[in-house]
Amino acid sequence: MTGFDPIRSLANMRHEFGEHGGVNMSIETSTTFTVLDPATMPDIFSGRRGPETGGCFLYGRHFNPTVYALGRELAALEGSEFGYATASGLSAITCVLMQLVKTGEHIVSSHAIYGGTFALMKDFLPLRAGIETTFVDASDLAAVEAALTDRTRVLYVETLTNPTLTVPDLPALAELAHARGVKLVVDNTFAPLMVAPIQHGADVVVHSLTKFVSGASDIIAGSICGTQELIGDLMDLHGGALMLLGPTLDPRIAFQLSMRLPHLGLRVTEHSRRALFFAEQLDGLGLDVRYPGLPSHPHHERLARLRNPEFGWGGLLALDVGTEEKAYALMEALQNRDRFGYLAVSLGYHHTLMSCSASSTSSELSDADLSEAGISPGLIRFSIGYTGSLEQRWEQMEDALRATKLI
Ligand SMILES: *Cc1c(COP(=O)(O)O)cnc(C)c1O
């Protein structure tokens, strides 16, 4: 706990009224903006005059007023100086890494990360950009320290790892990184509001807004929160990864995301309340469940120190039923027989989603990488939804467990 309250922080912001005084901000759809005084054009292009310094917006791939407003809201929720939104979570991650790390330089990353990020670091960046990554168990501080070299620029972790839900010791990692001039970059997709990594020493927070922030599995988007200098660098006309690689978020989509932020807290709290209930029930039946809200979880105490308790322990839980065959049978019964949820990847949706991590979202990992990350073939990741009554959902779960002889 840090005393930082994301809900207060968002409510304390200067409100962005609509163009005609509307309670909602306007959607600025224009891709280009009129310069009233031609003499200011060179200053606008050089970045000396922006929308808040006597100039104007420039072009839609650069800052857009609606996306800019969403960026300010996201920064308020993370307690960062500045924020901006992108067209996907992976583009936010790619741009941050390309901005902070040059050819010949180095990343140290947790080995338990989102499959796409893993493939980016393991396969794409070495081949296309000459950037190497050393993967470590980020809970092992000695291993992290040993992996840092003179060329390391970024230490990369996820707040809650996918899918085993371990928690890195953010303050300790920040200290290790900062002692060597390395930036700590944290993917906070699994723990929005619950954990505010910047408050624990992180330099940059990235999100896939596709998950809890969208909440409806209908939008792909991402975000970057950090210093004003970082966002300025990312948007630089000559050297900015956001400006030049161009993963621009559509302002219409930025508006939709902004309208979902006021109830993000309510949703996260309910996802968490239900996930804790399921974790306790499954644990009570003697099943192998991983949930950081259970005192038996190895990182329960650590998350207790880092989290904002109002938002619970998160909406994700993992259940290891031993084999892929049993996992498939359970998911099939849960979806097709009991209508408990959907067999689909992704998370943060209002309905429950479930998938077998080893053969889906973590399939970029080799068998050796999978076992090193503790992802067994029978591990099912659940993103617990909030539709239906909790009682009804638990009955469905028990029924499917019985039908597949797991209890
Ligand atoms: C989904 C996800 C991403 C990638 O985000 P997209 O919006 O799909 O590009 C990155 N990190 C984590 C933890 C994710 O769950």
Side-chain angles (χ1 to χ4, degrees), residues 3-15 72-81 193 196 199 308 311:
F4 171 73
D5 180 342
I7 299 293
R8 259 175 190 270
S9 172
L10 184 65
N12 279 340
M13 274 182 64
R14 168 171 60 82
H15 184 68
R72 287 178 50 238
E73 292 171 345
L74 295 166
L77 289 177
E78 291 292 351
S80 67
E81 204 174 289
L193 305 180
Q199 312 309 313
N308 191 341
F311 303 104

Side-chain angles (χ1 to χ4, degrees), residues 87-91 93 113-114 117 156 158 160 162 187 189-190 207-211 219-222 346-347 381:
S88 69
L90 207 48
S91 67
I93 294 164
I113 53 171
Y114 177 71
T117 311
Y156 188 94
E158 296 181 359
L160 276 172
N162 177 29
D187 180 335
T189 302
F190 277 40
H207 272 274
S208 168
L209 304 178
T210 311
K211 316 295 168 54
I219 286 173
I220 301 266
S346 202
L347 51 126
R381 181 185 79 185

